[in-house]
Amino acid sequence: MTAPMPVKLNIGCGQDIREGYVNIDGADLPGIDFKVDLDACATTPLPLPDNHFQELELVHVLEHLYHPLPLMQELYRIAAPGARLHVKVPHVGHDDAWVDPTHVRGITPMTFDYFGQPKYVDMDYGYTGDWRVAKCDLIVLRDVFDRIGRHKMLEAVVLYRNVAKEIIVELIAEKPSRPRDKTLDTPIGYTIVPV
């Protein structure tokens, strides 16, 4: 008898193979459970069961994708109701988002609104996933934080480069999906985290 499939998923894991997780990546590396093209989810579904995973990790992957919506829709399909998706990406305003030639997009905290159905009141790209932002941390540089203080940080993040280094977001799979209702499209609250 084979062991049951873990309920944790490490997406785009590279060499970060995690015990107790299903590890998937586009490279055929030792420890990978499934080799998949994460940018091809529009035509090739992930080889994973519906409504299965309770915890998903997506660490420094989205900035490499040309087609993030099909991946996010596939992750929604395989996520259990209320599953948590932990995402880390470089902040669009930091050089780290652009110096790596494999990065194809910049990401802001507001990008994560577009992974939930309430954002699609006046538009329809065929996206059916519904991830709600539960938490959004902006990782900022400690020396900048110490110089300008917490009360000016959000202004500095918007106005200046290389203030926010990374975005760490926790998303919740809303199943059944929420309606496309403007009243549900609420602003994301950020927490400033100096490092």
Side-chain angles (χ1 to χ4, degrees), residues 104-162:
V104 298
R105 70 179 55 256
I107 299 172
T108 74
M110 285 81 66
T111 300
F112 295 94
D113 278 340
Y114 286 86
F115 300 139
Q117 285 301 306
K119 197 63 174 176
Y120 293 95
V121 172
D122 299 321
M123 60 190 122
D124 189 352
Y125 302 121
Y127 175 73
T128 59
D130 191 17
W131 294 99
R132 176 178 53 82
V133 177
K135 183 178 179 187
C136 181
D137 292 339
L138 292 179
I139 307 304
V140 299
L141 302 176
R142 167 73 61 189
D143 62 330
V144 176
F145 179 83
D146 290 344
R147 269 187 281 132
I148 68 173
R150 182 176 299 276
H151 66 286
K152 293 247 183 190
M153 281 307 299
L154 284 180
E155 180 182 332
V157 165
V158 171
L159 295 176
Y160 305 110
R161 293 193 51 73
N162 294 317

Side-chain angles (χ1 to χ4, degrees), residues 98-109:
W98 303 109
V99 295
D100 183 337
T102 67
H103 291 180
V104 298
R105 70 179 55 256
I107 299 172
T108 74

Side-chain angles (χ1 to χ4, degrees), residues 46-61:
L46 296 174
L48 300 167
D50 293 356
N51 302 307
H52 180 78
F53 294 95
Q54 296 174 1
E55 186 176 331
L56 303 92
E57 297 280 333
L58 190 63
V59 177
H60 289 282
V61 174

